[in-house]
Amino acid sequence: MKKYLLIPLFLLAGITHAGSNVSAISGNVSDVLSADTFVVVTGDLEQYKIRLLGGVDEFKNNSTASGCKKMLSDILNKEVDVDVVGNKDKENRYVGFVSINGENINQRQVLAGCAVTPKKTNSKISKKTYQSLLISEEKAKAMKNGIWAD
């Protein structure tokens, strides 16, 4: 009987933060997976896959994707704060706003043409933040940065 009880417990031990009702995550960036996705390890060694709100899934050319991933890679090994917005996405990533010492990383990526302004459908996005993202996106378009270069 104990063998059967240990198997489910063993399987459960590999599952971390199975629920998606997390509202904030703080920790160290251990890996950058793409131009909009990275891994955060918290102080209690929990790992969270994070996607920038407004991240771009597909790029028209690989050099833009590579450049955007490289730009995001400068957060590697840095402490970040993530304000999670809504539920996990279809790839089981927490989606949200990311900051380092008060710098809005989402806005930086939007200005570089590596992300877009998300639709204003979530009440966690303040009007001020939304307007600021829209302005950054317009600047990126005018400068033909990143995804707006083509």
Side-chain angles (χ1 to χ4, degrees):
M1 183 73 167
K2 288 183 182 179
K3 286 182 183 178
Y4 297 107
L5 291 176
L6 290 177
I7 293 172
L9 291 175
F10 173 75
L11 291 174
L12 288 174
I15 299 173
T16 60
H17 49 80
S20 61
N21 57 350
V22 173
S23 62
I25 300 167
S26 293
N28 189 57
V29 176
S30 65
D31 195 9
V32 175
L33 305 174
S34 70
D36 68 355
T37 304
F38 56 94
V39 177
V40 172
V41 179
T42 63
D44 59 357
L45 301 181
E46 291 281 335
Q47 291 189 13
Y48 294 86
K49 194 183 291 187
I50 308 295
R51 180 171 189 245
L52 292 173
L53 184 65
V56 177
D57 285 329
E58 296 182 22
F59 291 87
K60 289 182 182 175
N61 68 53
N62 288 334
S63 65
T64 302
S66 178
C68 289
K69 180 180 179 183
K70 184 177 180 181
M71 183 173 179
L72 186 62
S73 291
D74 76 348
I75 70 171
L76 191 61
N77 299 319
K78 293 188 180 171
E79 291 291 320
V80 297
D81 295 308
V82 181
D83 182 17
V84 177
V85 179
N87 297 322
K88 290 182 182 180
D89 69 3
K90 64 185 178 192
E91 294 180 31
N92 208 32
R93 300 173 292 187
Y94 289 92
V95 180
F97 286 105
V98 179
S99 64
I100 298 176
N101 297 322
E103 178 190 5
N104 184 328
I105 302 304
N106 299 63
Q107 185 165 7
R108 185 190 71 181
Q109 294 295 101
V110 168
L111 186 57
C114 295
V116 296
T117 302
K119 301 287 185 254
K120 179 74 169 106
T121 57
N122 192 300
S123 62
K124 287 190 80 172
I125 304 172
S126 73
K127 185 175 181 178
K128 180 180 177 184
T129 298
Y130 183 71
Q131 290 298 326
S132 182
L133 288 169
L134 282 175
I135 290 168
S136 293
E137 185 174 305
E138 289 305 316
K139 287 180 182 177
K141 287 178 182 178
M143 294 185 290
K144 298 190 181 304
N145 289 345
I147 60 174
W148 309 113
D150 297 330

